[in-house]
Amino acid sequence: MGTTNLLGRPSFGALVLRSDAQRCLAVNPVTPVSWPALASGALQVGDCIETVGGIPIGDRKLIDTRLRALVDGPPSERFVEVAFRRAEMPFVVTLPVARIGLFEWLQVQVGLVVVALACWLMALVVLLAQPHAEANQVYALLYLATALGVVGLHHQFQNDQVGRLYTALTIVISPQLIGAALFHLALLIPEPLRRRRWLRFALYPPALVGLGLHLDSMLDMAGEHPWSPDFARAANLIGAALMFAGLVVFVGRMLLAARPGPQLRVMQQARLLLVSWALGVTPLLAIAVFFLATNRLPRAVSLQTGLFFLPIALTGTAFAMLRYQAFAYRGRLLQGMTALFVSASAACLALPLLLPYHIDGPLFVAVLVCALVTTLFWYQDTPLRRAFRRYFLRHQQDYRIAYMFSRAIRETQPLDELLATAARMIGESFEAEWVAVRLGGGPERQWVAGQGVHPAGMSALLATTSAAGASLIAGPAGAIGVVCIGPRTTGEPLDEEDYGLLSMLTDHLGRVLTVQSQLDRLARVPGVVLAAQEQERSRLSQELHDAVLPYLSALPFGLERVRRLLGGGGEARAELWQLLDRYSEKATATARELRNIIGQLQMPDLHGARLFAALRASCEAICGQAQVALVWDVAEAAPELEAEAALHLYRLVQQAVTNAVQHSRSDAVHVQARSLDGAVEITIRDDGGGSDPRQERRPQQHGRSPSVGAGKP
């Protein structure tokens, strides 16, 4: 808030800061390099300002009065001579004087505010993801302390007491806490200490001592005493030692953990932390070390330039920690952190190219926003993104996995090989320890992929190891199986993005299995047709055997008897006429039976209203042959059915009435039909006593299968 005092104040193009090391007022390291004094090379960060317009730099009020007079004067007189010392060599330069406007104020503040807000935001996100995790708590402490240090780099409070208090509560506290928290975090990730766990708190006592010494020297809590300067120097040394110790231990542990080992999660997390810290902390550390060693910075470089790299370490460390933790909205949060990490890295990689243009806060924020918009274009699913992906980006990881999976299982024909391939590819895609594919829920129909895992031991494995995720294999009539995924070899939990990919793969697997099942059924159609033909032939042979063959078999014997009776007398002639009448009746019955069989084989016209007429004619023929009464209860016209449906209905009614006539021993068969919204409902019942199916079994040499009577409803 105190920096708003800069607005409207006259300046010669540099901010000054008290430097205890040089015992002078030096150019502040946060001065934007785009300001004219630094952009022209007349001044550099760390130069000791001695006089401004001949007035000693310590007399700030008189200098402000002189600069205001110059600013209010003619443009040709808005220049002032500044005497300074650089590397113990005196210099005098003439610099333009101007008022600090809103844009110049933004050049000072935007970079610091953006970095501080990034520290606070990442600390809050990590803490809220797992509030009770010690590593998350220490991470939040580390970056909250970093944010305090950033916001304390510059202020313009007019009251010295307020300024000293602000400095004490920000930049004085941060070095002590940063060193102790970094040491603590180094002993927690990627894997906490198993022995002597108390060591992680070892640097907090000296941090409290250094903090007390700093506060005493800044706020004069113990009053004036001759050793106050020694307290300040001791506090600075303690802070520097703590930060150095924390950094060395952190980098050392990460280097040890990054070596190839049995725990893949530890190795990957350590490598990610090393990469993010190498990109995000190394530039800031190099600038700080150079400044402490030489009390100045190279041209076109300020402390803000190093701070711009800090978001890389922020997001990289947060991603490395949260990647192996389970919490709500994990997938979206990690995706957002990845976008921020990539954006910050891209913006910082562009900084060396922008050095000739004098990088300041607004310029860096503009580059960062452009990089973030570009990154979000690649990550977010929008209509523009989908159109771009459709034409230019066909090989994103998930879609590449889906494409390779689809191609592999489409080219695999045997069911066992297909499902084994599916299990193997799903396991490779998710880096899972094992994958099990089950069909129909039976243990005998199970395919497993995994190192050292056998289907026979799958039940024992599931009893001791819980599946990380599962997805149903959908078929036309519901679920036909399930895919279970074991824990990942990397230790990562599955999130909503992973479940989306798994659902996509199982849906495609279900479609392939459905198509293959239909193809298998189509392959069996010729056999089914042949079996139906043989069954129909067997039925016809049985009908002919029962209805026609007895008459034809008895006909030669009857003719022989007729021949003998022709040579007899009157009584023989009377018997002959009786025999002829009996054979005439049998011939008529046999002809009627043949017509009935032929009528059943022929398909009548079943379109529209003719359906019920054809059904009635068929039922009357069947009942008339058996001398059973038919009660036909149909009072309305038949609806228009498809040809296949009408044929199925006709054959079903024929068979049902035939069963009722042959097996129920009833005197009447009742047939009732009605239309229901384009459908037909037919009820067939009889008043017989039913039959025992075991008593209806015929000899198998005739090929007739047993049938069951309708019985009473």
Side-chain angles (χ1 to χ4, degrees):
M1 296 296 294
T3 56
T4 56
N5 296 324
L6 286 175
L7 292 173
R9 177 182 294 183
S11 172
F12 56 88
L15 301 174
V16 294
L17 175 71
R18 179 68 186 178
S19 174
D20 294 332
Q22 297 176 276
R23 293 183 175 86
C24 67
L25 289 173
V27 177
N28 196 324
V30 299
T31 303
V33 294
S34 57
W35 281 17
L38 272 68
S40 63
L43 292 178
Q44 292 183 7
V45 173
D47 289 344
C48 284
I49 308 299
E50 295 182 340
T51 63
V52 177
I55 303 172
I57 190 63
D59 196 347
R60 301 296 300 276
K61 293 184 179 180
L62 186 58
I63 292 176
D64 287 345
T65 302
R66 177 65 183 276
L67 293 179
R68 290 180 188 277
L70 292 175
V71 168
D72 295 335
S76 59
E77 298 180 1
R78 295 176 184 174
F79 294 90
V80 66
E81 288 188 351
V82 177
F84 64 94
R85 189 175 70 254
R86 180 185 300 168
E88 302 303 328
M89 296 183 62
F91 294 91
V92 178
V93 294
T94 300
L95 299 175
V97 180
R99 294 185 184 275
I100 297 177
L102 179 61
F103 183 72
E104 288 77 18
W105 179 79
L106 290 176
Q107 288 177 319
V108 177
Q109 290 300 117
V110 166
L112 300 179
V113 171
V114 168
V115 174
L117 286 178
C119 292
W120 276 323
L121 179 62
M122 285 295 104
L124 183 63
V125 167
V126 172
L127 186 61
L128 291 179
Q130 287 285 356
H132 303 292
E134 184 180 358
N136 295 45
Q137 296 171 355
V138 177
Y139 174 94
L141 174 63
L142 173 63
Y143 283 106
L144 285 175
T146 304
L148 286 177
V150 172
V151 299
L153 287 174
H154 177 66
H155 68 82
Q156 287 291 325
F157 288 109
Q158 299 298 315
N159 189 310
D160 289 342
Q161 191 66 23
V162 175
R164 290 167 67 89
L165 179 62
Y166 180 82
T167 302
L169 296 179
T170 54
I171 198 170
V172 169
I173 293 178
S174 61
Q176 320 293 332
L177 294 181
I178 289 174
L182 185 58
F183 181 84
H184 190 171
L185 186 65
L187 300 183
L188 290 177
I189 58 173
E191 191 175 24
L193 291 177
R194 297 182 180 179
R195 302 174 62 183
R196 299 180 181 178
R197 301 184 61 185
W198 55 268
L199 283 176
R200 62 189 189 276
F201 304 110
L203 295 191
Y204 286 108
L208 292 176
V209 172
L211 182 59
L213 294 177
H214 254 311
L215 293 177
D216 178 73
S217 62
M218 293 292 297
L219 304 180
D220 295 330
M221 293 186 299
E224 293 291 338
H225 43 75
W227 53 82
S228 292
D230 295 332
F231 279 3
R233 285 191 293 271
N236 289 332
L237 289 176
I238 291 175
L242 291 177
M243 293 186 67
F244 179 77
L247 185 62
V248 169
V249 173
F250 183 85
V251 175
R253 283 211 78 201
M254 295 307 109
L255 288 174
L256 291 176
R259 297 178 302 175
Q263 296 188 14
L264 183 61
R265 181 193 67 81
V266 173
M267 181 186 68
Q268 290 183 347
Q269 189 176 23
R271 290 181 178 180
L272 182 57
L273 287 169
L274 283 175
V275 170
S276 60
W277 275 65
L279 294 176
V281 178
T282 302
L284 178 61
L285 187 63
I287 291 174
V289 170
F290 185 88
F291 180 74
L292 292 176
T294 63
N295 291 317
R296 64 187 183 89
L297 289 178
R299 183 179 175 181
V301 174
S302 70
L303 188 60
Q304 289 198 43
T305 309
L307 291 175
F308 295 154
F309 288 83
L310 198 56
I312 301 177
L314 283 172
T315 53
T317 307
F319 181 86
M321 293 176 59
L322 298 182
R323 181 184 178 187
Y324 302 97
Q325 297 178 1
F327 51 89
Y329 305 105
R330 175 182 178 274
R332 295 181 181 179
L333 184 59
L334 292 183
Q335 187 176 2
M337 286 189 176
T338 304
L340 290 175
F341 180 82
V342 173
S343 303
S345 301
C348 291
L349 289 176
L351 290 184
L353 302 177
L354 299 176
L355 284 178
Y357 300 96
H358 310 296
I359 304 167
D360 53 22
L363 179 59
F364 173 73
V365 171
V367 174
L368 180 61
V369 169
C370 292
L372 182 60
V373 170
T374 304
T375 306
L376 291 178
F377 173 78
W378 288 84
Y379 275 90
Q380 297 300 318
D381 189 17
T382 61
L384 180 62
R385 173 71 180 87
R386 287 194 292 269
F388 182 84
R389 184 175 60 211
R390 185 181 304 115
Y391 294 106
F392 302 104
L393 193 65
R394 298 180 179 268
H395 301 290
Q396 275 192 341
Q397 183 67 10
D398 288 355
Y399 294 93
R400 179 179 176 275
I401 290 174
Y403 171 75
M404 298 300 293
F405 180 84
S406 171
R407 181 177 178 180
I409 64 174
R410 190 173 59 247
E411 295 175 352
T412 307
Q413 291 300 327
L415 180 63
D416 290 340
E417 185 177 349
L418 185 151
L419 293 175
T421 301
R424 176 181 56 80
M425 295 194 68
I426 292 175
E428 293 174 353
S429 302
F430 290 92
E431 299 179 329
E433 294 180 0
W434 54 264
V435 172
V437 179
R438 292 179 175 178
L439 289 186
E444 70 281 359
R445 296 178 60 81
Q446 181 169 266
W447 292 261
V448 180
Q451 186 175 4
V453 181
H454 193 270
M458 196 63 209
S459 300
L461 180 62
L462 288 174
T464 57
T465 306
S466 60
S471 180
L472 295 177
I473 303 174
I480 60 176
V482 64
V483 175
C484 298
I485 297 181
R488 282 180 162 176
T489 57
T490 60
E492 296 181 57
L494 296 179
D495 52 40
E496 55 270 20
E497 301 295 332
D498 297 323
Y499 282 113
L501 176 60
L502 179 59
S503 177
M504 183 191 306
L505 298 182
T506 53
D507 286 347
H508 190 76
L509 179 60
R511 288 193 293 270
V512 171
L513 291 176
T514 301
V515 171
Q516 190 175 64
S517 176
Q518 293 173 350
L519 291 176
D520 291 340
R521 285 197 293 269
L522 289 176
R524 292 194 297 269
V525 165
V528 173
V529 172
L530 290 176
Q533 290 177 348
E534 292 299 325
Q535 184 178 3
E536 185 66 15
R537 288 174 180 174
S538 177
R539 187 186 70 83
L540 289 176
S541 66
Q542 187 65 44
E543 295 291 343
L544 293 175
H545 174 274
D546 293 344
V548 180
L549 187 59
Y551 170 74
L552 295 179
S553 299
L555 187 59
F557 300 100
L559 292 176
E560 178 63 24
R561 188 175 179 184
V562 168
R563 188 179 63 80
R564 290 197 305 267
L565 290 175
L566 286 176
E571 294 181 359
R573 184 176 296 275
E575 184 180 355
L576 176 61
W577 283 109
Q578 292 178 359
L579 183 62
L580 289 175
D581 291 340
R582 188 163 59 251
Y583 271 93
S584 176
E585 292 175 358
K586 287 184 178 181
T588 302
T590 301
R592 186 168 55 250
E593 184 71 21
L594 283 174
R595 282 195 299 271
N596 186 32
I597 294 174
I598 294 172
Q600 291 182 6
L601 293 177
Q602 292 178 343
M603 185 180 70
D605 187 2
L606 303 177
H607 295 288
R610 300 184 183 90
L611 173 61
F612 285 170
L615 283 174
R616 183 169 186 174
S618 177
C619 293
E620 286 178 347
I622 296 172
C623 293
Q625 181 182 359
Q627 297 181 353
V628 175
L630 173 66
V631 180
W632 183 260
D633 184 11
V634 178
E636 54 188 348
E640 187 69 30
L641 299 179
E642 295 182 0
E644 185 177 359
L647 177 60
H648 284 311
L649 180 63
Y650 180 81
R651 295 302 185 193
L652 287 173
V653 172
Q654 268 190 338
Q655 188 62 42
V657 173
T658 301
N659 289 343
V661 167
Q662 292 181 353
H663 306 294
S664 66
R665 298 187 296 274
S666 64
D667 297 327
V669 175
H670 301 263
V671 179
Q672 183 181 8
R674 59 174 179 166
S675 301
L676 295 173
D677 297 330
V680 176
E681 182 185 73
I682 295 182
T683 304
I684 301 172
R685 59 187 179 87
D686 58 71
D687 54 0
S691 63
D692 187 351
R694 293 172 295 182
Q695 298 178 359
E696 297 293 329
R697 192 175 298 275
R698 295 291 186 93
Q700 294 299 316
Q701 63 267 24
H702 298 299
R704 186 165 184 169
S705 59
S707 57
V708 180
K712 284 188 177 182

